DNA sequence: CCCTTATATTGATTTTAGTCAAAACCGGAT
DNA sequence: ATCCGGTTTTGACTAAAATCAATATAAGGG
């Protein structure tokens, strides 16, 4: 039931003092293999727990950067906006994921982070994280990996935005959601989306009507069923095929 | 003539022993304000200088990650490819910029890096950079800023790919090139592009014909002149307007 | 519970970019 | 200089998604 990562050998849950630390550790140190003392050290960094109501902002563009945020529970989106009001959702974020990496660059947040459902995050003061990184090289290295992974993820999204058709984009998106739910121990074929068609569209570079049509098309083809935000994947394999081949099949 | 950054107060060119170090320092430590000793230390990290011929690969997808590369001279592109042959140029890179950040994530390069003209790069062994970061906190922090900036850059590109029309994308691209040439002391209104229309198209999520038409359109409107790879920006302000407003003006 | 508002679906039409094809152009090699 | 392959431009046509518009459906507040 629980995600596989929770069984990591070097990790003993008894050493984590707050449940808040747990959430950050999941992303930040579980795969590192810290010893008990190191986990203690890190646990001390993660101080504040914040609750954000559905629709509330975790941070806004331009706000001073103080801390990274590890999502403890809930679901958030991040989005950047142009002066002319154009908006782009740059990501959806669920438990165990890290937010705010973009803000290190200029000490200001470059995007809005909005809760799509009531959420909890842990604050990780960044300067303290850097200090501790010096003492724990494996933590530093792991942090670098996390940042790098974010870059790789963005490149994947650029490929999607630059070269896929509407249906392929949606298939890709659904498979991504599916995988992330699976990692967290939820069903990979049956889930509720938290975001609107418009938000999906923004993320995928499509208008909401196009997203809706793409959903309908996948349903017609009996690859998924969709009722509003509730999605069932009937045929994972065919969904993967949809993503890969614009020329092949219907 | 020389970019403004070269006059940074805490930087004395006499302490840099190899010209190779110079190139990396430009990206990696100039803005940090290292003292002389620290610059020495960093200088020792940057060992190999590599030359890559036009058309040659700096690294290929899947290759083992050993080092970051700082571009010393020349011009490179990075691109990711899908199994089905689909390709997306994820960036163009010129002197002073850092390549390979994506590879930290999995210890493998996730993209190809190809020289678009004869180029030179400095190798920065990553594990040594991490070691030295421990000794020089400001260097570590600056490195984090560089990674973060890459994420911000990617978000900008996602906004472009997700919400701009062909002409806006091209305008945005030309302004980006213009700015980067300007930083390096070259003309911001008169330059030669190193990449083909196809590569520009891939980067912008457009087909080469569409790129060509967009060039022609900007020329018709007397905003630029274009002869093959040679571009002159006649009216920077109007070019900026093109980028910002899909609805406004012709 | 109903009412109001936000969200989602579907259709008709227009706009945009992609595709296919031909011609012009450029640059490097002989 | 000339030839050749790769690149660029332009045109005609097609495909895809955006836009406009009308309903339909769901969700939240009183």
């Amino acid at each position: 039931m629980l995600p596989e990562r929770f069984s990591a050998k070097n990790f003993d849950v008894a050493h984590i003092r707050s449940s808040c630390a747990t959430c950050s550790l999941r992303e930040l140190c579980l795969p590192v293999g810290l010893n008990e003392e190191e986990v203690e050290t890190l646990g001390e960094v993660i101080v504040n727990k914040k609750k954000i109501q559905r629709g509330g902002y975790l941070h806004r563009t331009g706000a001073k950067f103080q801390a990274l945020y590890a999502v403890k529970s809930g679901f958030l989106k991040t989005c950047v906006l142009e002066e002319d009001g154009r908006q782009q959702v740059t990501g959806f974020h669920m438990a165990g994921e890290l937010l705010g990496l973009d803000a290190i660059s200029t000490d200001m947040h470059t995007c809005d982070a909005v809760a799509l459902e009531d959420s909890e995050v842990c604050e990780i003061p960044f300067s303290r994280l850097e200090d501790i990184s010096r003492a724990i090289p494996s933590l530093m290295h792991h942090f670098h990996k996390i940042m790098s992974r974010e870059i790789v993820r963005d490149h994947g999204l650029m490929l999607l935005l630059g070269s896929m058709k509407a249906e392929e984009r949606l298939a890709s998106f659904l498979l991504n959601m599916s995988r992330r739910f699976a990692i967290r121990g939820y069903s990979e074929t049956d889930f509720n989306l938290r975001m609107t068609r418009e938000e999906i569209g923004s993320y995928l570079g499509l208008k909401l009507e196009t997203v809706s049509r793409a959903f309908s098309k996948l349903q017609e083809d009996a690859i998924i069923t969709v009722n509003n935000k509730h999605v069932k994947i009937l045929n994972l394999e065919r969904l993967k095929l949809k993503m890969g081949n614009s020329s092949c099949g219907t």
Side-chain angles (χ1 to χ4, degrees), chain A residues 16-180:
Chain A
I16 310 307
R17 296 188 299 202
S18 69
S19 63
C20 188
T22 314
C23 80
S24 306
L25 284 163
R26 187 161 162 188
E27 169 77 358
L28 208 53
C29 74
L30 256 188
V32 188
L34 303 185
N35 65 33
E36 303 173 7
E37 190 189 343
E38 288 168 338
V39 171
E40 285 275 340
T41 309
L42 183 61
E44 282 161 28
V45 185
I46 298 152
V47 277
N48 293 327
K49 184 153 71 175
K50 269 195 179 188
K51 284 179 195 286
I52 308 106
Q53 282 193 313
R54 180 185 152 95
Y57 284 79
L58 173 57
H59 58 71
R60 286 171 194 263
T61 302
K64 177 147 178 54
F65 170 62
Q66 305 276 10
L68 298 174
Y69 299 100
V71 181
K72 179 177 167 52
S73 67
F75 203 91
L76 298 96
K77 68 169 177 181
T78 43
C79 47
V80 295
L81 9 67
E82 292 280 275
E83 313 77 50
D84 61 355
R86 231 184 314 220
Q87 183 177 334
Q88 169 98 13
V89 173
T90 54
F92 298 108
H93 310 276
M94 41 211 281
E97 295 174 348
L98 212 54
L99 269 81
L101 296 175
D102 56 282
I104 298 167
S105 157
T106 57
D107 281 321
M108 277 175 36
H109 288 280
T110 64
C111 62
D112 291 346
V114 182
L116 296 183
E117 60 181 40
D118 292 356
S119 302
E120 292 175 295
V121 301
C122 297
E123 228 175 53
I124 306 169
F126 183 61
S127 55
R128 298 204 52 198
L129 179 64
E130 282 191 328
D131 290 345
I132 291 174
S133 293
R134 295 184 64 196
I136 313 176
S138 62
L139 178 65
M140 176 173 75
H141 185 63
H142 185 62
F143 177 65
H144 292 160
K145 286 198 172 200
I146 290 173
M147 291 210 90
S148 176
R149 196 165 65 220
E150 179 71 14
I151 292 170
V152 173
R153 191 187 73 84
D154 289 347
H155 288 176
L157 201 51
M158 282 161 53
L159 182 69
L160 177 144
L161 291 168
S163 71
M164 289 189 188
K165 296 216 219 306
E167 229 183 306
E168 303 176 299
R169 294 184 197 194
L170 185 63
S172 187
F173 169 75
L174 289 174
L175 287 166
N176 178 267
M177 283 292 142
S178 167
R179 195 171 46 70
R180 285 158 74 189

Side-chain angles (χ1 to χ4, degrees), chain A residues 9 13 26 28 48 118 125 202 223 247:
Chain A
K9 296 145 215 72
V13 93
R26 187 161 162 188
L28 208 53
N48 293 327
D118 292 356
S202 172
I223 294 172
S247 43

